[in-house]
């Protein structure tokens, strides 16, 4: 029997309502919380896809007073948080509901915080930097990737300083996560692929890092298998509800793993890269992931063998390192099959001269501290160069 060699905690205060049709339960959930005035935070795409209709109906059925802010954009920043916070304060909202991908759910967390705190959102960068408790939050994901519905983190873009900042606290964990695979049916193949690879990066980075423990490991293993079995199917046919269900559960379990462990070098790089260049979080992580895995193989080879097996690779008869390397091959094959690029040059021009400068920012990330192979500045630069 394997014995964990370190003491750990695992805390999950979010109530998860999961399954096809779950979204119609929002009224009951809000009524059970005893709250009446609700601000929905979302984007125009969600609005146009008709996803708000069952939510509005369910809230209407229980007599909630509902306000809608639908101006969230990808990687939303200070101004959007300020506009939506003003709306929450003016209407005396008691509950913030984020509906969408990471940007909408993270904006909802930021608005919940700012409704009860002074200044601007970036003043609260880091962990537990605010004094008054945020408003309660409900998160409803419409992509299968970010996992923000069950994490402590809100990532907000600082467009002036070209950085993405994490604001984290257990108090930003949504009170309820409503996860309904039907809401992801309208995602186009490219978004399905990119967000799905973000979820796989969460699972793999959590699984191999030095902070992992039995509960996160179990969640990560479940996630890696679900994503390996379902991502191709979801990209091939967006209407495949079984594959969408597998991907939403894959994304959820990955987040349940990494919320306690943090991540690794791929996420240390993807945040500043996404702030400097127009590349989505999922695509940036996907391109970095195999190169980060290659760097990490020697830090935890047995875990990489297990990843290879979970992704359907045969490892019998191979040496430990040969079997571990199969995990990298499995990730590259998956990316090729779902139409994602293996190099940044296929999607964005990254200035080689900028890499050492950005790498200095990357080196400060707490995600490096738990990475199984501790990187120095030269290692970080090399991993990015390989990904170009
Ligand atoms: Fe991510």
């Amino acid at each position: 029997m394997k014995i964990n060699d370190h003491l750990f905690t695992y805390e999950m205060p979010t109530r998860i309502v999961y399954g096809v049709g779950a979204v119609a339960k929002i009224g009951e959930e809000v009524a059970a919380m005893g709250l009446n005035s609700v601000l929905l935070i979302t984007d125009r795409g969600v609005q146009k896809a008709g996803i708000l209709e069952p939510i509005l109906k369910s809230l209407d059925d229980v007599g909630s007073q509902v306000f809608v802010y639908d101006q969230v954009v990808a990687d939303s920043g200070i101004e959007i948080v300020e506009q939506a916070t003003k709306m929450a304060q003016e209407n005396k909202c008691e509950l913030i509901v984020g509906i969408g991908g990471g940007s909408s759910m993270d904006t909802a967390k930021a608005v919940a915080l700012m409704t009860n705190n002074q200044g601007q959102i970036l003043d609260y960068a880091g962990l537990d930097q605010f004094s008054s408790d945020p408003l309660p939050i409900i998160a409803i994901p419409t992509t299968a990737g970010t996992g923000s519905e069950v994490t402590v983190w809100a990532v907000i873009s600082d467009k002036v300083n070209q950085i993405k900042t994490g604001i984290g606290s257990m108090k930003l964990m949504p009170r309820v996560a409503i996860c309904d695979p039907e809401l992801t049916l309208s995602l186009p193949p490219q978004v399905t692929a990119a967000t799905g690879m973000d979820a796989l990066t969460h699972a793999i980075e959590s699984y191999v890092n030095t902070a992992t423990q039995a509960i996160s490991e179990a969640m990560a293993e479940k996630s890696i298998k679900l994503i390996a079995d379902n991502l191709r199917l979801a990209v091939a046919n967006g209407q495949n509800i079984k594959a969408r269900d597998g991907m939403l559960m894959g994304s959820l379990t990955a987040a349940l793993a990494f919320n306690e462990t943090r991540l690794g070098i791929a996420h240390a790089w993807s945040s500043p890269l996404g702030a400097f260049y127009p590349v989505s979080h999922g695509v940036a992580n996907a391109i970095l992931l195999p190169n980060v895995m290659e760097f990490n193989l020697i830090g935890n080879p047995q875990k990489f063998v297990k990843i290879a097996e979970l992704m359907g690779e045969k490892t019998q008869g191979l040496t430990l390192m040969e079997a571990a390397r199969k995990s990298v091959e499995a990730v590259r094959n998956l990316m090729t099959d779902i139409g994602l690029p293996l190099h940044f040059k296929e999607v964005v021009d990254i200035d080689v001269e900028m890499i050492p400068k950005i790498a200095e920012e990357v080196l400060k990330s707490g995600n490096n501290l738990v990475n199984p192979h501790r990187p120095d500045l030269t290692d970080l630069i090399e991993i990015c160069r390989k990904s170009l």
Side-chain angles (χ1 to χ4, degrees):
M1 184 180 139
K2 186 187 163 206
I3 297 171
N4 271 294
D5 57 0
H6 58 94
L7 190 75
F8 72 92
T9 57
Y10 189 93
E11 198 173 348
M12 230 310 283
T14 305
R15 173 180 161 85
I16 300 167
V17 183
Y18 189 97
V20 171
V23 75
K25 297 280 180 196
I26 187 171
E28 279 174 42
E29 294 296 326
V30 172
M33 290 162 86
L35 303 171
N36 180 258
S37 178
V38 182
L39 176 62
L40 307 186
I41 294 186
T42 191
D43 62 60
R44 297 306 290 271
V46 166
Q47 169 89 279
K48 277 193 199 139
I51 288 170
L52 288 194
E53 282 155 31
I55 295 172
L56 292 170
K57 181 179 179 312
S58 178
L59 288 168
D60 189 51
D61 287 347
V62 297
S64 296
Q65 196 183 9
V66 180
F67 303 89
V68 179
Y69 179 86
D70 66 0
Q71 301 296 313
V72 174
V73 292
D75 302 323
S76 75
I78 304 166
E79 283 152 36
I80 282 173
V81 172
E82 282 178 353
Q83 285 169 14
T85 301
K86 198 163 168 246
M87 202 166 170
Q89 288 170 332
E90 281 174 3
N91 295 296
K92 300 195 170 24
C93 292
E94 302 164 305
L95 171 69
I96 309 294
V97 179
I99 308 154
S103 298
S104 286
M105 291 189 282
D106 289 1
T107 301
K109 290 176 178 176
V111 171
L113 191 165
M114 291 311 298
T115 304
N116 289 347
N117 289 276
Q118 303 292 318
Q120 58 116 315
I121 187 63
L122 298 175
D123 300 340
Y124 302 102
L127 273 171
D128 289 313
Q129 298 298 312
F130 49 86
S131 50
S132 300
D133 285 358
L135 289 179
I137 300 153
I138 292 182
I140 307 180
T142 63
T143 64
T146 163
S148 184
E149 65 274 15
V150 290
T151 75
V152 300
W153 297 103
V155 177
I156 300 296
S157 293
D158 176 351
K159 308 242 152 101
V160 178
N161 297 307
Q162 286 189 296
I163 52 169
K164 285 188 184 180
T165 300
I167 296 115
S169 170
M170 283 307 283
K171 291 176 176 171
L172 288 174
M173 294 280 290
R175 202 71 82 75
V176 183
I178 300 180
C179 305
D180 188 334
E182 265 187 342
L183 304 189
T184 66
L185 288 175
S186 58
L187 281 179
Q190 306 89 310
V191 182
T192 304
T195 50
M197 284 302 297
D198 183 28
L200 182 64
T201 310
H202 294 157
I204 291 177
E205 294 212 291
S206 172
Y207 189 55
V208 301
N209 83 21
T210 59
T212 197
Q213 25 70 10
I215 300 173
S216 285
E217 280 173 347
M219 293 291 171
E221 285 187 4
K222 178 82 180 162
S223 170
I224 293 164
K225 175 97 177 77
L226 280 168
I227 295 168
D229 289 349
N230 289 287
L231 184 50
R232 288 177 178 88
L233 296 170
V235 170
N237 175 9
Q239 293 299 308
N240 181 338
I241 188 70
K242 231 173 142 246
R244 293 297 196 183
D245 179 35
M247 283 308 300
L248 191 60
M249 185 52 82
S251 155
L252 179 67
T253 44
L256 291 170
F258 90 78
N259 193 44
E260 294 288 347
T261 64
R262 302 206 70 168
L263 292 157
I265 295 175
H267 273 80
W269 259 114
S270 65
S271 282
L273 271 184
F276 273 89
Y277 297 104
V279 56
S280 77
H281 178 70
V283 170
N285 277 318
I287 292 171
L288 289 157
L289 180 62
N291 297 318
V292 171
M293 288 170 75
E294 260 166 359
F295 176 75
N296 283 343
L297 286 175
I298 60 163
N300 206 342
Q302 287 87 355
K303 280 284 185 69
F304 284 100
V305 174
K306 185 72 187 166
I307 293 168
E309 288 166 354
L310 289 165
M311 296 188 74
E313 297 291 323
K314 288 203 178 87
T315 58
Q316 268 185 338
L318 301 180
T319 65
L320 176 67
M321 292 309 294
E322 281 170 351
R325 280 197 182 88
K326 284 277 175 190
S327 64
V328 184
E329 203 180 307
V331 168
R332 289 206 173 106
N333 288 341
L334 174 60
M335 287 169 65
T336 305
D337 286 349
I338 61 176
L340 283 179
L342 293 171
H343 295 99
F344 282 111
K345 63 173 184 259
E346 295 173 52
V347 280
V348 63
D349 266 333
I350 293 181
D351 181 0
V352 186
E353 309 276 296
M354 284 291 286
I355 294 175
K357 184 173 177 275
I358 304 174
E360 281 175 29
E361 273 310 304
V362 175
L363 192 61
K364 294 179 197 160
S365 166
N367 285 319
N368 295 316
L369 303 177
V370 293
N371 196 74
H373 181 172
R374 284 288 282 272
D376 60 20
L377 191 66
T378 314
D379 296 324
L380 292 174
I381 292 170
E382 187 51 27
I383 287 167
C384 190
R385 286 211 170 117
K386 269 186 159 180
S387 307
L388 291 181

